[in-house]
Every structure is written in structure tokens, then in C-alpha cells.
Amino acid sequence: MKRFLALATLLVLSATGCTASQEKPSSETRSGEPFTFRVLTTGLADPWEITWGPDGFLWVTEKTGKRVTRVNPSDGSKSTVITISDVYSTESQDGLLGMAFPGNFLKGSNDVYLAYTYDADPGPAVDRRTKIVRYTYDPAAHRLSRPVDLITGLSASTDHNSGRLLVGPDQKLYYSIGDQGNDQFKRFCNPIRAQDLPTAEDVGNRNWTTYVGKVLRLNLDGSIPSDNPVIRGVRSHIYSYGHRNPQGLVFGPGGRLFSAEHGPKADDEINLIQVGKNYGWPYVSGFKDDESYVYGNWSASTTPPCASLHYDNFAIPPSVPQQRETDWSSPDYVEPLKTLYTVPNGYNFHDPACGDQSYICWPSIAPSSVDYMPAEQGGFEGWRNSLLVTSLKNGALYCLRLTQDGGSVQGDITQFFKTTNRYRDLALSPDHRAVYISTDSTGLSGPKFGSPTEKLDNPGAILEFTYDGSR
Ligand SMILES: [Ca+2]
Ligand SMILES: [Ca+2]
Ligand SMILES: [Ca+2]
Ligand SMILES: [Ca+2]
């Protein structure tokens, strides 16, 4: 309880602290974990990507704030480097999303890459799309300017945009784009197109509608790399396919690319992304094991048509075609490295403690990002050579240890830093002793002591957890 009183005090102190001269936030120890904790800063509008810049500042995109903000990691003071009025953002999963720097950022290049949703319709209608844009940073004025569109007209949705952007060790852009949240909830009559691939004509016409449910790989000018895979006869921006909502992407040991992907009720996936491979969605959720998942394609219902059906999370009507995981196959299919968590058939997804919001209690954790803690340097020994995954639903950081060769996950998944928040992304300090976590401004977190809640401990904040090796 003491910790929560201290947190409340910190919140009051920092609520007015948006100026450059705010008092240094104080820290506290965490019981049972060798880390100290402080709220570095608050007042951010849905901080989304958080990245440690080579200038020693934390760079943050604010999804609904439509801003890129630099945060001083010593005192939490903030400055806005750009506000992008072109960003179209609602309270759903659209807005300013991914951000990435080239490998030589501030050492030869001042480029910054951003991904965001915008409205492509000039009139009152909304044509929600995604673009990736290059900006130029002025390190003297601390401002971003001179936007250049690299790719425009990508599909966008109120749901499952994914949106993670990286520059790889090969100096290519990697971008994850989700299945748009189709075949469920309000979008249940929209088919999932994660298995669809473009024709040569589509690519020639810059028709990117099949790019949903994919990991893309682009040259830094937005063009298609000449060494991208040829899949079913066509080379495009697609690097891998069959993804649901791969919101986490990170390069790990040996240049391996890992993803963290939101599963449906269960089966969040940790994947090793390989060139040209198929990750199975929507035919397979988690492992191909026929456990607690069957693909029901609502849009394919003809009698009656989908539009006259009522969506149900738990019961698929007889008119909706269903397919078992083991009845599907693809020569390119790759199983996940790990799932969080797979449950057997017959599992009860209705937890009465969760009421109408039962999704918050399902076995999936909503993995919003993934980072890599190297084997050889500093920080908490228990995390060396591990993937660190943030959870939206559980307000915790999950650690998955990699094998020595870096190609698979070993041992039990361990959980750290539990609070009543929605953890969106993380960044590591260069010495790997400090972990910075961005938190959503609103939404549901839980269950902590039985019930999910919208009363978040630290909405719209950056939390700092520092390894205290002396304890
Ligand atoms: Ca990050
Ligand atoms: Ca419009
Ligand atoms: Ca999969
Ligand atoms: Ca499965």
C-alpha cells in the first residue's frame, strides 16, 4: 500500500511539471525486485514509441497528441520537436505510431522516420490511411521539419494497425502492419487478408491493399529492395506474411528479427521473422495444435449474409464456414517460438469477475512491444540475452530468455514491474541498467486484485526502473 501512496504523491508533484525546470523526480525501491522505480514524466497524450536517442534523450511519439517529444532522462523535462497536424487520430488505434532512426543518426544523418494514420479524403468523409514519412532533425533548434513521403496509401483501421517501425542493421526500414481488426467485433464482416499477396499489377499500380497482416521491408527512400523475397512470383515490400497484429518488432543477436504479436483470446505469439515465411494467421493461432481456436470466416456467410448476423465472441453460427488449424497447410508456414498463453480446448473464457469486459481476463496479455537485452553488457544478470515484452492488459514486463545461439526461447517466462497501467513500449538506457516504459493515457488494466479497472496508476507517463545491483 505504501508504494501506492508514494505514487500518488509523485503524481501530484509532477502534474504541473511540464516545464523544463521541473524538480527531479524521486525514486523508490521495489519490493522483491532489484530495481528502483520513479515516474520520470507525466502529461503525455498516449506515448507510443519510446526510443533512446544518440543525443542521450528519450524520443517519444504521442499517438493522440500527434507530437514527437524529447524527454530528458535525468529530470523528466520535455520538449516538443514537432506537432504533425496531418495525423488523423481518434481514441482508437490510429494516430502517430512508429518512429525509427538510421544507424548513423546524428553521426552523419539527421533523418527521422515516422509512421502515422491520416485522412486521404479532402472532404468530410474519412479515408483512413497510413504513411511512412522521413523528416530532417535540426540538432541546434531541436526541431523536425522537411517531411518527405516514403510510402502513402497503406491500409489503416480503427483496430490492429500494428505500426512498429525499425531501421534494420541492413539500413532498411521494417514496418509491421496488422490485419486491421477484421473478422471480429465491429469489423466482423470484413475479411482478414493476411494471407493475400499482391499481383505484379498491384505493385505496378501502387495498390497496397494486400499489405495488411504483413511485415514490410523498404529501402530508406520507400522503394522496394531488390533483394526482397519473391513470394508466389511477385517481389513487393512484403518481407513476411500471415500476421495478426505484430505490434512488437526488434532486432536481436546475429541480426535476427523477432516479433511480438497480439493473439485472439489466447496465443499471443513471439516469432522469429524469416524472409518470405508465412506465420499462419488466420488459419493458425499460436501453435498448429487445434487447441481453443478455430478459424470462422464471418464474411463468407451467405445464407444469411454476414451483415444480418450478430457477432458473438464465443459462438460461431452454423452459416459461418469454419476450418480447423490442422486442416490448413502452407510450405512457407513457421510456428511461433513461444505463446502467451495457450490454453486447452474447453477452457472457460468467461471469468465472472471480469463482467462485460471478459477480454481483459483472457489468457492473452496484449504484447504491445518487444526489446532485446544483449548478453554481454551491464544491467540485470537475469535478463541477459533476453526478449523483454510489455503487456497492455496486465501492466507488466515479461522476460523471455533466449538460447545461447539466439534462435529460440528457453525456460519459464518471468514477470516484472507489475502496476495498474497499460504498458505500451519500452527503451533501454545504453548501459542497460535503466528500463523506460511508456503508458497509455486511458483504457482498461487488470486484473490485479480481482477486477479490471480504468483507474490507471500513471496514465500517459514514462516510468523508469533502474537496476540496483547493490541489493
Ligand atoms: Ca522502443
Ligand atoms: Ca476527410
Ligand atoms: Ca502464427
Ligand atoms: Ca493453435
Side-chain angles (χ1 to χ4, degrees), residues 48-52 164 369-371 425-428:
W48 204 88
E49 171 67 51
I50 175 169
T51 301
W52 187 283
R164 195 64 61 190
S369 67
V370 58
D371 216 330
D425 188 25
L426 79 150
L428 295 167

Side-chain angles (χ1 to χ4, degrees), residues 227-463:
D227 57 348
N228 265 14
V230 173
I231 311 174
R232 287 183 219 158
V234 177
R235 178 178 287 120
S236 69
H237 291 102
I238 295 172
Y239 189 71
S240 63
Y241 65 109
H243 299 282
R244 185 172 184 270
N245 188 14
Q247 208 157 53
L249 274 185
V250 71
F251 280 93
R256 290 179 182 82
L257 180 61
F258 296 91
S259 72
E261 314 196 13
H262 296 264
K265 296 186 189 67
D267 294 322
D268 298 323
E269 296 181 2
I270 305 299
N271 283 307
L272 178 59
I273 303 297
Q274 300 171 63
V275 57
K277 295 298 186 185
N278 182 350
Y279 289 79
W281 184 253
Y283 295 106
V284 180
S285 168
F287 296 99
K288 198 200 257 193
D289 54 9
D290 289 331
E291 294 288 354
S292 71
Y293 175 78
V294 64
Y295 172 38
N297 182 357
W298 290 73
S299 68
S301 176
T302 51
T303 37
C306 185
S308 62
L309 295 174
H310 177 74
Y311 183 70
D312 188 311
N313 259 317
F314 304 101
I316 301 174
S319 67
V320 172
Q322 296 188 35
Q323 187 169 343
R324 293 191 314 168
E325 290 180 328
T326 52
D327 288 338
W328 174 84
S329 67
S330 160
D332 297 334
Y333 175 66
V334 177
E335 291 264 71
L337 295 181
K338 196 81 177 175
T339 59
L340 299 92
Y341 290 91
T342 296
V343 292
N345 287 320
Y347 181 86
N348 179 17
F349 286 97
H350 302 267
D351 183 337
C354 298
D356 293 341
Q357 310 280 15
S358 64
Y359 78 88
I360 201 81
C361 298
W362 292 344
S364 54
I365 68 160
S368 47
S369 67
V370 58
D371 216 330
Y372 173 67
M373 172 71 85
E376 63 279 3
Q377 300 175 58
F380 178 42
E381 293 84 353
W383 286 356
R384 298 231 174 122
N385 194 31
S386 294
L387 299 176
L388 301 174
V389 175
T390 51
S391 164
L392 293 173
K393 281 166 44 172
N394 294 342
L397 188 70
Y398 289 72
C399 174
L400 296 91
R401 292 185 58 225
L402 295 177
T403 50
Q404 199 172 3
D405 69 2
S408 47
V409 171
Q410 63 174 343
D412 293 333
I413 300 169
T414 48
Q415 194 193 87
F416 293 82
F417 307 160
K418 183 79 186 80
T419 64
T420 302
N421 284 302
R422 290 170 60 81
Y423 288 176
R424 179 57 65 174
D425 188 25
L426 79 150
L428 295 167
S429 61
D431 66 2
H432 302 127
R433 293 183 70 89
V435 180
Y436 297 90
I437 293 176
S438 56
T439 64
D440 281 6
S441 295
T442 59
L444 210 52
S445 175
K448 191 173 189 185
F449 302 115
S451 296
T453 179
E454 290 186 350
K455 286 191 185 132
L456 304 174
D457 288 344
N458 314 104
I462 295 174
L463 312 182

